């Protein structure tokens, strides 16, 4: 039987020589990445960043309290930005779905503007123009405007993905557009798009670290203060602080992701129970 390469509509199946080249490139890439990682590790290790003494500051209550205060500030900014972005997103999505063309045009223009505006520039502009004495609200407002625009697109897409028969049946029963939207379409859209909505909330959580640039005392700002003001026999503990702060951020993001999966599974179970009950 012939072992010649076969072709498909989309691509040609690589032959023995091509597969050998791909394997060689893969091996070289892995070796190159490993060499870069080893170089970075060796450079940092030579300056004592991985010495055990670098971790001693984390034993002090003052350092632990500073990290907890930074974590509380991060969660405060995230909580406010999450609530405001979801409220703004729902409002803008309703505007984009409106039957009135001027309302649709205004809502669409707002969404496109804030989606296109770089978040960092927006936070800086809000801080220096309106919230110079309140870094928290400069950060929260920027996050709410940007993520609210993104959430609006998510909700609008979810509503448009609901089968048209759902809305037509509601209209046939005499329901108004607002009733159809908020009692029929939006609940189904949110149930479908919930993982995407929470995924955007994860982005919101990570973006709270931008508050560091406007002197908001969040977790990243607390880490900077610890790393630059805490001296050990081997120097300043930049790498240990980076590891600790990164682990906390990753843990919070993983917790939100787990929440999304749990809500999605619960929604599927509820839908299955309703389908079984009506069968």
């Amino acid at each position: 039987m012939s072992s010649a390469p076969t072709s498909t509509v989309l691509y040609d199946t690589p032959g023995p020589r091509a597969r050998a080249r791909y394997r060689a490139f893969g091996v070289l890439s892995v070796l190159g990445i490993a060499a870069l990682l080893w170089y970075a590790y060796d450079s940092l290790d030579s300056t004592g960043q991985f010495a055990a003494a670098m971790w001693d500051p984390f034993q002090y209550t003052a350092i632990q309290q500073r990290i907890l205060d930074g974590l509380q500030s991060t969660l405060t900014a995230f909580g406010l930005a999450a609530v405001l972005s979801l409220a703004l997103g729902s409002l803008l999505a309703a505007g984009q779905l409106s039957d009135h063309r001027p309302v649709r045009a205004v809502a669409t223009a707002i969404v496109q503007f804030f989606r296109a505006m770089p978040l960092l520039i927006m936070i800086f502009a809000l801080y220096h123009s309106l919230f110079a004495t309140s870094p928290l609200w400069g950060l929260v407002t920027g996050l709410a405007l940007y993520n609210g625009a993104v959430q609006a697109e998510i909700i609008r897409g979810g509503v448009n993905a609901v089968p048209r028969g759902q809305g037509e049946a509601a209209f046939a029963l005499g329901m108004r557009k607002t009733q159809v939207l908020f009692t029929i379409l939006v609940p189904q859209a949110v149930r479908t798009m919930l993982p995407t909505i929470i995924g955007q909330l994860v982005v919101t959580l990570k973006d709270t670290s931008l508050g560091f640039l406007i002197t908001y005392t969040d977790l990243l700002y607390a880490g900077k203060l610890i790393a630059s003001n805490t001296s050990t026999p081997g120097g300043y503990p930049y790498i240990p602080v980076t590891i600790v702060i990164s682990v906390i951020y990753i843990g919070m993001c993983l917790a939100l992701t787990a929440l999304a999966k749990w809500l999605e599974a619960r929604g599927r179970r509820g839908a299955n129970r309703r389908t079984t009950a009506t069968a």
Side-chain angles (χ1 to χ4, degrees):
M1 181 179 295
S2 175
S3 59
T6 59
S7 300
T8 67
V9 176
L10 298 178
Y11 68 96
D12 293 332
T13 303
R17 291 185 179 179
R19 290 197 296 269
R21 284 198 301 270
Y22 295 158
R23 284 194 293 267
F25 290 151
V27 171
L28 290 175
S29 299
V30 170
L31 291 176
I33 294 172
L36 287 175
L37 292 175
W38 174 255
Y39 175 76
Y41 170 80
D42 186 63
S43 299
L44 293 170
D45 187 54
S46 63
T47 61
Q49 285 295 316
F50 295 108
M54 287 291 187
W55 296 89
D56 291 342
F58 295 102
Q59 301 176 11
Y60 298 109
T61 304
I63 298 296
Q64 297 170 2
Q65 187 61 48
R66 175 163 286 179
I67 292 175
L68 290 176
D69 291 342
L71 177 60
Q72 181 180 3
S73 297
T74 292
L75 292 176
T76 299
F78 166 68
L80 291 171
V83 171
L84 292 176
S85 65
L86 288 173
L88 179 61
S90 300
L91 182 63
L92 291 174
Q96 288 183 300
L97 296 167
S98 173
D99 291 332
H100 304 286
R101 182 175 296 178
V103 175
R104 286 202 311 271
V106 171
T108 301
I110 293 173
V111 168
Q112 296 303 323
F113 175 78
F114 286 115
R115 284 184 66 198
M117 175 67 71
L119 179 56
L120 182 57
I121 294 177
M122 192 176 349
I123 291 173
F124 262 115
L126 289 167
Y127 172 66
H128 288 291
S129 61
L130 299 175
F131 303 103
T133 59
S134 180
L136 169 63
W137 285 107
L139 173 64
V140 167
T141 304
L143 291 174
L145 291 174
Y146 175 78
N147 290 283
V150 177
Q151 296 285 16
E153 284 294 280
I154 293 173
I155 296 172
R156 182 189 64 82
V159 170
N160 287 334
V162 176
R164 294 184 60 182
Q166 301 277 346
E168 292 172 353
F171 283 124
L173 293 174
M175 298 178 69
R176 297 189 300 273
K177 176 65 179 288
T178 305
Q179 292 176 307
V180 174
L181 183 62
F182 288 102
T183 62
I184 304 296
L185 301 181
V186 170
Q188 294 186 65
V190 169
R191 191 180 304 115
T192 303
M193 303 304 294
L194 193 58
T196 308
I197 291 173
I198 296 183
Q200 187 60 37
L201 290 179
V202 172
V203 175
T204 305
L205 174 59
K206 292 188 292 186
D207 285 345
T208 57
S209 60
L210 295 175
F212 152 78
L213 298 172
I214 58 173
T215 68
Y216 179 60
T217 55
D218 66 337
L219 185 60
L220 184 60
Y221 191 82
K224 173 185 175 294
L225 292 178
I226 295 171
S228 59
N229 296 326
T230 306
S231 179
T232 68
Y236 294 96
Y238 290 107
I239 295 302
V241 169
T242 300
I243 293 173
V244 170
I245 299 301
S246 298
V247 167
I248 295 175
Y249 271 113
I250 292 171
M252 291 190 293
C253 292
L254 289 177
L256 273 177
T257 303
L259 174 63
K261 292 181 178 179
W262 178 77
L263 290 174
E264 183 181 11
R266 183 177 180 182
R268 282 200 303 267
R269 289 195 299 269
N272 292 336
R273 283 196 296 268
R274 287 191 295 272
T275 302
T276 303
T278 57

